[in-house]
Coordinates of all heavy atoms in Angstrom, one line a residue:
M1 N -15.9 4.3 -7.1 CA -15.0 3.3 -6.6 C -14.3 3.7 -5.4 O -13.9 4.9 -5.2 CB -14.0 2.9 -7.7 CG -13.1 1.8 -7.4 SD -12.2 1.4 -8.8 CE -10.6 1.0 -8.0
D2 N -14.2 2.9 -4.4 CA -13.6 3.2 -3.1 C -12.1 3.0 -3.2 O -11.6 1.9 -3.5 CB -14.2 2.4 -2.0 CG -13.9 2.8 -0.6 OD1 -13.6 4.0 -0.5 OD2 -13.8 2.0 0.2
D3 N -11.3 4.1 -2.9 CA -9.9 4.0 -3.1 C -9.4 3.4 -1.8 O -9.7 3.7 -0.6 CB -9.2 5.4 -3.2 CG -9.6 6.0 -4.5 OD1 -9.8 5.3 -5.5 OD2 -9.6 7.3 -4.6
A4 N -8.4 2.4 -1.9 CA -7.8 1.8 -0.7 C -6.7 2.8 -0.2 O -6.0 3.4 -1.0 CB -7.2 0.5 -1.2
K5 N -6.7 2.9 1.1 CA -5.7 3.8 1.7 C -4.9 3.1 2.8 O -5.5 2.2 3.4 CB -6.4 5.0 2.3 CG -7.1 5.9 1.3 CD -7.6 7.1 1.9 CE -8.2 8.0 0.9 NZ -8.8 9.3 1.4
I6 N -3.6 3.4 3.0 CA -2.8 2.9 4.0 C -2.1 4.0 4.7 O -2.0 5.2 4.3 CB -1.7 1.9 3.3 CG1 -0.8 2.6 2.4 CG2 -2.4 0.7 2.8 CD1 0.3 1.8 1.9
I7 N -1.5 3.7 5.9 CA -0.8 4.6 6.7 C 0.7 4.4 6.6 O 1.1 3.3 6.7 CB -1.3 4.5 8.2 CG1 -2.8 4.7 8.4 CG2 -0.5 5.5 9.0 CD1 -3.3 6.1 8.1
V8 N 1.4 5.4 6.1 CA 2.8 5.3 6.0 C 3.5 6.3 7.1 O 2.9 7.2 7.5 CB 3.3 5.5 4.7 CG1 2.8 4.5 3.7 CG2 3.0 6.9 4.1
H9 N 4.7 6.0 7.4 CA 5.5 6.8 8.3 C 6.7 7.4 7.6 O 7.3 6.8 6.9 CB 6.0 6.0 9.5 CG 4.8 5.4 10.3 ND1 4.2 6.1 11.3 CD2 4.3 4.2 10.3 CE1 3.3 5.3 11.8 NE2 3.3 4.1 11.2
T10 N 7.0 8.7 7.9 CA 8.1 9.4 7.3 C 9.3 9.2 8.2 O 9.2 8.8 9.3 CB 7.8 10.9 7.0 OG1 7.6 11.5 8.3 CG2 6.7 11.0 6.1
E11 N 10.5 9.6 7.7 CA 11.7 9.5 8.4 C 11.7 10.5 9.6 O 12.4 10.3 10.6 CB 12.9 9.8 7.6 CG 12.9 11.1 6.9 CD 14.0 11.3 5.9 OE1 14.7 10.3 5.6 OE2 14.2 12.4 5.4
S12 N 10.8 11.5 9.6 CA 10.7 12.5 10.6 C 9.7 12.1 11.7 O 9.5 12.9 12.6 CB 10.5 13.9 10.0 OG 9.2 13.9 9.4
G13 N 9.1 11.0 11.5 CA 8.1 10.6 12.4 C 6.6 10.9 12.1 O 5.7 10.5 12.9
Q14 N 6.3 11.6 11.0 CA 5.0 11.9 10.7 C 4.3 10.7 10.2 O 5.0 9.8 9.6 CB 5.0 13.0 9.6 CG 5.4 14.4 10.0 CD 5.3 15.3 8.8 OE1 5.7 15.0 7.7 NE2 4.8 16.4 9.0
T15 N 3.0 10.7 10.3 CA 2.2 9.6 9.7 C 1.3 10.2 8.6 O 0.8 11.3 8.8 CB 1.3 8.9 10.7 OG1 0.4 9.8 11.3 CG2 2.1 8.1 11.7
L16 N 1.2 9.5 7.5 CA 0.5 10.0 6.3 C -0.5 9.0 5.8 O -0.1 7.8 5.8 CB 1.4 10.4 5.2 CG 2.5 11.5 5.4 CD1 3.5 11.5 4.2 CD2 1.8 12.8 5.7
E17 N -1.7 9.3 5.4 CA -2.6 8.4 4.8 C -2.5 8.7 3.3 O -2.7 9.8 2.8 CB -4.0 8.7 5.3 CG -5.0 7.6 4.8 CD -6.4 7.9 5.4 OE1 -6.8 9.1 5.4 OE2 -7.0 6.9 5.8
V18 N -2.1 7.6 2.6 CA -1.9 7.7 1.1 C -2.8 6.6 0.4 O -3.3 5.7 1.0 CB -0.4 7.5 0.8 CG1 0.5 8.5 1.3 CG2 0.0 6.0 1.2
V19 N -3.1 6.9 -0.8 CA -3.9 6.1 -1.7 C -3.0 5.0 -2.4 O -1.9 5.3 -2.9 CB -4.6 6.9 -2.7 CG1 -5.4 6.0 -3.7 CG2 -5.5 8.0 -2.1
V20 N -3.6 3.7 -2.4 CA -2.9 2.7 -3.0 C -3.3 2.5 -4.4 O -4.4 2.4 -4.7 CB -3.1 1.3 -2.3 CG1 -2.5 0.2 -2.9 CG2 -2.7 1.4 -0.8
S21 N -2.3 2.6 -5.4 CA -2.6 2.5 -6.7 C -2.6 1.1 -7.2 O -3.5 0.6 -7.9 CB -1.6 3.3 -7.5 OG -1.7 3.1 -8.9
S22 N -1.6 0.3 -6.7 CA -1.4 -1.2 -7.1 C -0.8 -1.8 -5.8 O 0.1 -1.3 -5.3 CB -0.6 -1.3 -8.2 OG -0.4 -2.7 -8.5
K23 N -1.3 -3.0 -5.5 CA -0.7 -3.7 -4.3 C -0.5 -5.2 -4.7 O -1.4 -5.9 -5.0 CB -1.8 -3.7 -3.2 CG -1.2 -4.1 -1.9 CD -2.3 -3.9 -0.8 CE -1.8 -3.9 0.6 NZ -2.8 -3.7 1.6
K24 N 0.8 -5.6 -4.6 CA 1.3 -6.9 -4.8 C 2.2 -7.2 -3.7 O 2.7 -6.3 -3.1 CB 1.9 -7.0 -6.2 CG 0.9 -6.8 -7.4 CD 1.6 -7.1 -8.7 CE 0.6 -6.8 -9.8 NZ 1.2 -6.9 -11.1
A25 N 2.6 -8.4 -3.6 CA 3.5 -8.9 -2.5 C 4.9 -8.3 -2.8 O 5.6 -8.0 -1.8 CB 3.5 -10.4 -2.4
D26 N 5.3 -8.2 -4.0 CA 6.6 -7.8 -4.3 C 6.8 -6.2 -4.4 O 8.0 -5.7 -4.3 CB 7.2 -8.4 -5.6 CG 6.4 -8.1 -6.8 OD1 5.2 -7.7 -6.6 OD2 6.8 -8.2 -7.9
A27 N 5.7 -5.5 -4.5 CA 5.7 -4.1 -4.5 C 4.4 -3.4 -4.4 O 3.4 -4.0 -4.7 CB 6.4 -3.6 -5.9
I28 N 4.4 -2.2 -3.7 CA 3.1 -1.5 -3.5 C 3.3 -0.1 -4.1 O 4.3 0.6 -3.8 CB 2.8 -1.4 -2.0 CG1 2.6 -2.7 -1.3 CG2 1.6 -0.5 -1.8 CD1 2.5 -2.6 0.1
W29 N 2.4 0.3 -5.0 CA 2.5 1.6 -5.6 C 1.6 2.5 -4.9 O 0.4 2.1 -4.7 CB 2.1 1.5 -7.1 CG 3.2 1.0 -8.0 CD1 3.4 -0.3 -8.4 CD2 4.3 1.8 -8.6 NE1 4.6 -0.4 -9.1 CE2 5.0 0.9 -9.3 CE3 4.6 3.2 -8.6 CZ2 6.2 1.3 -10.0 CZ3 5.7 3.5 -9.2 CH2 6.5 2.6 -9.9
I30 N 2.0 3.7 -4.4 CA 1.1 4.5 -3.7 C 1.1 5.9 -4.4 O 2.0 6.2 -5.2 CB 1.6 4.8 -2.3 CG1 3.0 5.3 -2.1 CG2 1.4 3.4 -1.5 CD1 3.4 5.8 -0.8
V31 N 0.1 6.7 -4.1 CA 0.0 8.1 -4.6 C -0.1 9.0 -3.4 O -1.0 8.9 -2.6 CB -1.3 8.2 -5.5 CG1 -1.4 9.7 -6.0 CG2 -1.1 7.3 -6.7
L32 N 0.8 10.0 -3.4 CA 0.7 11.1 -2.3 C 0.3 12.3 -2.9 O 0.8 12.8 -4.0 CB 2.1 11.1 -1.8 CG 2.3 12.1 -0.6 CD1 1.5 11.6 0.6 CD2 3.7 12.3 -0.3
G33 N -0.7 13.0 -2.3 CA -1.3 14.2 -2.9 C -2.5 14.0 -3.8 O -2.9 12.8 -4.0
E34 N -3.0 15.1 -4.2 CA -4.2 14.9 -5.1 C -4.1 15.9 -6.3 O -3.3 16.9 -6.3 CB -5.4 15.5 -4.3 CG -5.8 14.4 -3.2 CD -7.1 14.9 -2.5 OE1 -7.7 15.9 -2.8 OE2 -7.5 14.2 -1.5
G35 N -4.8 15.6 -7.3 CA -4.9 16.4 -8.5 C -3.5 16.4 -9.3 O -2.8 15.4 -9.4
I36 N -3.2 17.6 -9.8 CA -1.9 17.7 -10.5 C -0.7 17.7 -9.7 O 0.4 17.6 -10.2 CB -1.9 19.0 -11.5 CG1 -2.1 20.2 -10.6 CG2 -3.0 18.9 -12.5 CD1 -1.8 21.4 -11.5
H37 N -0.9 17.8 -8.4 CA 0.2 17.9 -7.5 C 0.6 16.6 -6.8 O 1.1 16.5 -5.7 CB 0.0 19.0 -6.4 CG -0.2 20.3 -7.0 ND1 0.8 21.0 -7.5 CD2 -1.3 21.1 -7.1 CE1 0.5 22.2 -8.0 NE2 -0.9 22.3 -7.8
N38 N 0.1 15.5 -7.4 CA 0.3 14.1 -6.8 C 1.7 13.6 -7.2 O 2.3 13.9 -8.2 CB -0.8 13.2 -7.1 CG -0.9 12.9 -8.6 OD1 -0.1 13.3 -9.4 ND2 -1.9 12.1 -9.0
V39 N 2.2 12.6 -6.4 CA 3.4 12.0 -6.7 C 3.3 10.6 -6.5 O 2.7 10.1 -5.5 CB 4.6 12.5 -5.7 CG1 5.9 11.8 -5.9 CG2 4.7 14.1 -5.8
K40 N 3.8 9.7 -7.4 CA 3.7 8.2 -7.2 C 5.0 7.7 -6.6 O 6.1 8.3 -6.9 CB 3.5 7.6 -8.6 CG 2.1 7.5 -9.0 CD 1.9 6.7 -10.3 CE 0.7 5.9 -10.2 NZ 0.5 5.0 -11.3
C41 N 4.9 6.6 -5.9 CA 6.1 6.1 -5.3 C 5.9 4.6 -5.2 O 4.8 4.0 -5.0 CB 6.2 6.6 -3.9 SG 7.6 5.8 -3.0
K42 N 7.0 3.8 -5.4 CA 7.0 2.4 -5.3 C 7.7 2.0 -4.0 O 8.8 2.3 -3.7 CB 7.8 1.8 -6.5 CG 7.8 0.3 -6.6 CD 8.5 -0.1 -7.8 CE 8.5 -1.6 -8.0 NZ 9.3 -2.0 -9.2
L43 N 6.9 1.2 -3.2 CA 7.4 0.7 -1.9 C 7.8 -0.7 -2.2 O 7.0 -1.5 -2.6 CB 6.3 0.8 -0.9 CG 5.8 2.1 -0.6 CD1 4.6 1.9 0.5 CD2 6.9 3.1 -0.1
L44 N 9.1 -1.0 -1.9 CA 9.7 -2.3 -1.9 C 9.9 -3.0 -0.6 O 10.1 -2.3 0.3 CB 10.9 -2.3 -2.8 CG 10.9 -1.8 -4.1 CD1 12.2 -1.5 -4.8 CD2 10.1 -2.8 -5.0
P45 N 9.9 -4.3 -0.5 CA 10.1 -4.9 0.8 C 11.6 -4.7 1.2 O 12.4 -4.6 0.5 CB 9.9 -6.4 0.5 CG 9.1 -6.5 -0.8 CD 9.5 -5.3 -1.5
T46 N 11.7 -4.5 2.6 CA 13.1 -4.4 3.1 C 13.8 -5.8 3.1 O 13.2 -6.8 2.7 CB 13.0 -3.9 4.5 OG1 12.2 -4.8 5.4 CG2 12.4 -2.4 4.6
R47 N 15.0 -5.7 3.4 CA 15.8 -7.0 3.3 C 15.3 -8.1 4.2 O 15.3 -9.3 3.8 CB 17.3 -6.7 3.8 CG 18.0 -5.9 2.8 CD 19.5 -5.7 3.1 NE 20.1 -4.8 2.2 CZ 21.3 -4.4 2.3 NH1 22.1 -5.0 3.3 NH2 21.9 -3.6 1.5
N48 N 14.8 -7.8 5.4 CA 14.2 -8.8 6.3 C 12.8 -9.1 6.1 O 12.1 -9.9 6.8 CB 14.5 -8.5 7.7 CG 13.9 -7.1 8.2 OD1 13.2 -6.5 7.4 ND2 14.2 -6.7 9.3
S49 N 12.1 -8.4 5.1 CA 10.7 -8.6 4.6 C 9.7 -8.2 5.8 O 8.6 -8.8 5.8 CB 10.5 -10.0 4.2 OG 11.2 -10.2 3.0
L50 N 10.1 -7.4 6.8 CA 9.2 -6.9 7.8 C 8.5 -5.6 7.5 O 7.7 -5.2 8.4 CB 10.0 -7.0 9.1 CG 10.5 -8.2 9.6 CD1 11.3 -8.1 10.9 CD2 9.4 -9.3 9.9
A51 N 8.9 -5.0 6.5 CA 8.3 -3.6 6.1 C 8.5 -3.4 4.7 O 9.2 -4.1 4.0 CB 8.9 -2.5 7.0
Y52 N 7.9 -2.3 4.2 CA 8.1 -1.8 2.9 C 8.6 -0.4 2.9 O 8.2 0.4 3.8 CB 6.8 -1.8 2.1 CG 6.2 -3.1 1.7 CD1 5.6 -4.0 2.6 CD2 6.5 -3.6 0.4 CE1 5.2 -5.2 2.2 CE2 6.1 -4.8 -0.1 CZ 5.4 -5.6 0.9 OH 4.9 -6.9 0.5
S53 N 9.6 0.0 2.1 CA 10.1 1.2 2.1 C 10.2 1.8 0.7 O 10.4 1.1 -0.2 CB 11.5 1.3 2.8 OG 12.4 0.6 2.1
G54 N 10.2 3.2 0.6 CA 10.4 3.8 -0.6 C 10.8 5.3 -0.4 O 11.0 5.6 0.8
S55 N 11.0 6.0 -1.5 CA 11.5 7.4 -1.4 C 10.6 8.3 -2.2 O 10.4 8.0 -3.5 CB 12.9 7.5 -1.8 OG 13.4 8.8 -1.7
I56 N 10.2 9.4 -1.7 CA 9.4 10.4 -2.4 C 10.2 11.8 -2.2 O 10.3 12.2 -1.1 CB 8.0 10.5 -1.9 CG1 7.1 9.3 -2.2 CG2 7.3 11.7 -2.5 CD1 5.8 9.4 -1.7
M57 N 10.6 12.3 -3.4 CA 11.4 13.6 -3.4 C 12.4 13.6 -2.3 O 12.7 14.5 -1.6 CB 10.4 14.7 -3.1 CG 9.2 14.7 -4.2 SD 8.0 16.0 -4.0 CE 8.9 17.5 -4.2
G58 N 13.2 12.6 -2.3 CA 14.4 12.4 -1.3 C 14.1 12.1 0.1 O 14.9 12.0 0.9
R59 N 12.8 11.9 0.4 CA 12.4 11.6 1.8 C 12.0 10.0 1.9 O 11.2 9.6 1.0 CB 11.2 12.4 2.2 CG 11.5 13.9 2.2 CD 12.4 14.3 3.2 NE 12.6 15.8 3.2 CZ 13.4 16.4 4.0 NH1 14.0 15.8 4.9 NH2 13.5 17.7 3.9
E60 N 12.4 9.4 2.8 CA 12.1 8.0 2.9 C 10.8 7.8 3.7 O 10.5 8.5 4.7 CB 13.3 7.3 3.8 CG 12.9 5.8 3.9 CD 14.0 5.1 4.7 OE1 15.0 5.7 5.2 OE2 14.0 3.8 4.7
I61 N 10.0 6.9 3.1 CA 8.7 6.5 3.8 C 8.6 5.1 4.0 O 9.3 4.3 3.3 CB 7.5 7.0 2.9 CG1 7.5 6.4 1.6 CG2 7.4 8.5 2.9 CD1 6.2 6.6 0.9
I62 N 8.0 4.7 5.1 CA 8.0 3.2 5.5 C 6.5 2.8 5.7 O 5.7 3.5 6.4 CB 8.8 3.0 6.8 CG1 10.3 3.4 6.5 CG2 8.7 1.6 7.2 CD1 11.0 3.5 7.7
Y63 N 6.1 1.7 5.2 CA 4.9 1.0 5.5 C 5.2 -0.1 6.4 O 5.9 -1.1 6.0 CB 4.2 0.6 4.2 CG 2.9 -0.1 4.4 CD1 1.9 0.4 5.2 CD2 2.5 -1.3 3.7 CE1 0.7 -0.2 5.3 CE2 1.4 -1.9 3.8 CZ 0.4 -1.4 4.6 OH -0.8 -2.0 4.8
Q64 N 4.7 -0.2 7.6 CA 5.1 -1.2 8.6 C 4.3 -2.4 8.6 O 3.6 -2.7 9.7 CB 5.2 -0.5 9.9 CG 6.2 0.6 10.0 CD 6.4 1.3 11.4 OE1 5.5 1.2 12.2 NE2 7.4 2.0 11.6
R65 N 4.2 -3.1 7.6 CA 3.5 -4.4 7.5 C 4.5 -5.3 6.8 O 5.0 -5.0 5.8 CB 2.2 -4.3 6.8 CG 1.2 -3.6 7.7 CD -0.2 -3.6 7.2 NE -0.8 -4.9 7.0 CZ -1.5 -5.6 7.9 NH1 -1.6 -5.1 9.2 NH2 -2.0 -6.7 7.7
S66 N 4.5 -6.6 7.2 CA 5.5 -7.6 6.7 C 4.9 -8.1 5.3 O 3.7 -7.8 5.0 CB 5.6 -8.7 7.5 OG 4.5 -9.5 7.7
V67 N 5.7 -8.7 4.6 CA 5.3 -9.3 3.3 C 4.2 -10.3 3.5 O 3.2 -10.4 2.7 CB 6.5 -9.9 2.5 CG1 6.1 -10.6 1.3 CG2 7.5 -8.8 2.2
K68 N 4.3 -11.1 4.5 CA 3.3 -12.1 4.8 C 1.9 -11.5 5.1 O 0.9 -11.9 4.7 CB 3.7 -13.0 5.9 CG 4.8 -14.0 5.6 CD 5.2 -14.9 6.7 CE 6.2 -15.8 6.3 NZ 6.7 -16.8 7.4
Q69 N 1.9 -10.4 5.9 CA 0.6 -9.7 6.2 C 0.1 -9.0 5.0 O -1.2 -9.2 4.8 CB 0.9 -8.6 7.2 CG 1.3 -9.2 8.6 CD 1.8 -8.0 9.5 OE1 2.4 -7.0 9.1 NE2 1.5 -8.2 10.8
V70 N 0.9 -8.5 4.1 CA 0.4 -7.9 2.8 C -0.2 -9.1 1.9 O -1.2 -8.9 1.3 CB 1.5 -7.2 2.1 CG1 1.1 -6.7 0.6 CG2 1.8 -5.9 2.9
Q71 N 0.4 -10.2 1.9 CA 0.0 -11.4 1.1 C -1.4 -11.8 1.6 O -2.3 -12.1 0.9 CB 0.9 -12.5 1.0 CG 2.1 -12.3 0.2 CD 3.1 -13.4 0.4 OE1 3.2 -14.1 1.3 NE2 4.0 -13.5 -0.7
A72 N -1.5 -11.8 2.9 CA -2.8 -12.2 3.5 C -3.9 -11.2 3.2 O -5.1 -11.5 3.0 CB -2.7 -12.4 5.1
D73 N -3.5 -9.9 3.3 CA -4.5 -8.8 2.9 C -5.0 -9.0 1.5 O -6.1 -8.8 1.2 CB -3.8 -7.4 3.1 CG -3.5 -7.1 4.5 OD1 -4.2 -7.8 5.4 OD2 -2.8 -6.2 4.8
I74 N -4.0 -9.2 0.6 CA -4.4 -9.3 -0.8 C -5.3 -10.5 -1.0 O -6.3 -10.5 -1.8 CB -3.1 -9.5 -1.7 CG1 -2.3 -8.2 -1.7 CG2 -3.4 -9.9 -3.1 CD1 -0.9 -8.2 -2.3
A75 N -5.0 -11.7 -0.3 CA -5.9 -12.9 -0.5 C -7.3 -12.6 0.0 O -8.3 -13.0 -0.6 CB -5.2 -14.0 0.3
Q76 N -7.4 -11.9 1.2 CA -8.7 -11.5 1.7 C -9.4 -10.6 0.8 O -10.6 -10.8 0.6 CB -8.4 -10.9 3.0 CG -9.8 -10.6 3.8 CD -9.5 -10.0 5.2 OE1 -8.4 -9.6 5.5 NE2 -10.5 -10.1 6.0
D77 N -8.8 -9.6 0.2 CA -9.4 -8.8 -0.7 C -10.0 -9.5 -2.0 O -11.0 -9.3 -2.4 CB -8.5 -7.6 -1.2 CG -8.2 -6.6 -0.1 OD1 -8.9 -6.6 1.0 OD2 -7.2 -6.0 -0.3
E78 N -9.1 -10.4 -2.5 CA -9.5 -11.2 -3.7 C -10.7 -12.1 -3.3 O -11.6 -12.2 -4.1 CB -8.4 -12.0 -4.1 CG -7.2 -11.3 -4.8 CD -7.6 -10.7 -6.1 OE1 -8.3 -11.3 -6.9 OE2 -7.1 -9.6 -6.4
H79 N -10.7 -12.7 -2.1 CA -11.8 -13.5 -1.7 C -13.1 -12.7 -1.5 O -14.1 -13.2 -2.1 CB -11.4 -14.2 -0.4 CG -12.5 -15.1 0.1 ND1 -12.8 -16.3 -0.5 CD2 -13.4 -15.0 1.1 CE1 -13.8 -16.9 0.1 NE2 -14.1 -16.1 1.1
A80 N -13.0 -11.5 -1.0 CA -14.1 -10.8 -0.9 C -14.7 -10.2 -2.2 O -15.9 -10.1 -2.4 CB -13.8 -9.6 0.1
R81 N -13.8 -9.9 -3.1 CA -14.2 -9.4 -4.4 C -14.9 -10.4 -5.2 O -15.8 -10.0 -6.0 CB -13.0 -8.9 -5.1 CG -13.4 -8.1 -6.4 CD -12.2 -7.5 -7.1 NE -11.0 -7.5 -6.5 CZ -9.9 -7.1 -7.0 NH1 -9.8 -6.8 -8.3 NH2 -8.8 -7.1 -6.3
F82 N -14.5 -11.6 -5.2 CA -15.1 -12.7 -6.0 C -16.2 -13.5 -5.3 O -16.5 -14.6 -5.8 CB -14.0 -13.6 -6.6 CG -13.1 -12.8 -7.5 CD1 -11.8 -12.6 -7.3 CD2 -13.5 -12.5 -8.8 CE1 -10.9 -11.9 -8.1 CE2 -12.7 -11.8 -9.6 CZ -11.5 -11.5 -9.4
Q83 N -16.7 -13.1 -4.3 CA -17.8 -13.8 -3.6 C -19.1 -13.5 -4.4 O -19.3 -12.4 -4.8 CB -18.0 -13.2 -2.2 CG -17.0 -13.8 -1.2 CD -17.1 -15.3 -1.0 OE1 -18.2 -15.8 -0.9 NE2 -15.9 -15.9 -1.0
F84 N -19.8 -14.5 -4.7 CA -21.0 -14.4 -5.4 C -22.1 -14.0 -4.4 O -22.2 -14.6 -3.3 CB -21.4 -15.8 -6.1 CG -20.5 -16.1 -7.2 CD1 -19.5 -17.0 -7.1 CD2 -20.6 -15.4 -8.4 CE1 -18.6 -17.4 -8.1 CE2 -19.7 -15.7 -9.5 CZ -18.7 -16.6 -9.3
K85 N -22.9 -13.0 -4.7 CA -24.0 -12.5 -3.9 C -25.3 -13.1 -4.4 O -25.6 -13.1 -5.6 CB -24.0 -11.0 -3.9 CG -22.8 -10.5 -3.3 CD -22.8 -8.9 -3.3 CE -21.5 -8.4 -2.8 NZ -21.4 -6.9 -2.8
Q86 N -26.1 -13.6 -3.5 CA -27.4 -14.1 -3.8 C -28.4 -12.9 -3.8 O -28.3 -12.0 -3.1 CB -27.9 -15.2 -2.9 CG -27.0 -16.4 -2.8 CD -27.5 -17.4 -1.8 OE1 -28.4 -17.2 -1.0 NE2 -26.9 -18.6 -1.9
R87 N -29.4 -13.1 -4.7 CA -30.5 -12.0 -4.8 C -31.5 -12.3 -3.8 O -31.9 -13.3 -3.4 CB -31.0 -12.0 -6.2 CG -29.9 -11.5 -7.2 CD -30.6 -11.4 -8.5 NE -29.5 -11.0 -9.5 CZ -29.8 -10.5 -10.6 NH1 -31.0 -10.3 -11.0 NH2 -28.8 -10.1 -11.4

């Protein structure tokens, strides 16, 4: 299975590629790290709904896509997943 990945930004300006565990419009669950050293985080929409933010081990991370953009991404993924393929 192909893991979905997104790019998040830290408060210090670093960019990280993380694996998406679950993606919904109201919250995005991500996994940072691999194996037994991984950490899960829940990203919630900001007040103005222009980004998602969360905290991992006291550090803030930000996913810079709006709620509308994420809803469009989810709809596109659902549409692509349920397309019937002809033989």
Side-chain angles (χ1 to χ4, degrees):
M1 186 170 141
D2 191 25
D3 293 331
K5 295 185 178 184
I6 60 172
I7 303 291
V8 295
H9 299 278
T10 64
E11 60 189 6
S12 62
Q14 289 180 314
T15 59
L16 302 170
E17 187 175 45
V18 296
V19 176
V20 176
S21 176
S22 174
K23 191 175 196 180
K24 296 182 181 179
D26 60 341
I28 300 173
W29 283 93
I30 61 169
V31 178
L32 181 65
E34 294 180 1
I36 62 169
H37 300 290
N38 65 4
V39 179
K40 276 188 142 182
C41 176
K42 184 178 182 181
L43 301 177
L44 296 172
T46 57
R47 290 183 187 182
N48 58 7
S49 298
L50 295 178
Y52 286 80
S53 67
S55 179
I56 292 180
M57 298 176 68
R59 304 286 183 180
E60 184 179 6
I61 58 171
I62 299 170
Y63 179 49
Q64 297 180 344
R65 289 186 61 87
S66 69
V67 173
K68 289 183 181 181
Q69 290 172 328
V70 170
Q71 286 174 338
D73 292 344
I74 293 169
Q76 185 177 16
D77 291 344
E78 290 290 325
H79 179 71
R81 188 178 343 174
F82 292 112
Q83 285 294 319
F84 293 103
K85 296 180 182 176
Q86 294 181 353
R87 293 184 181 198

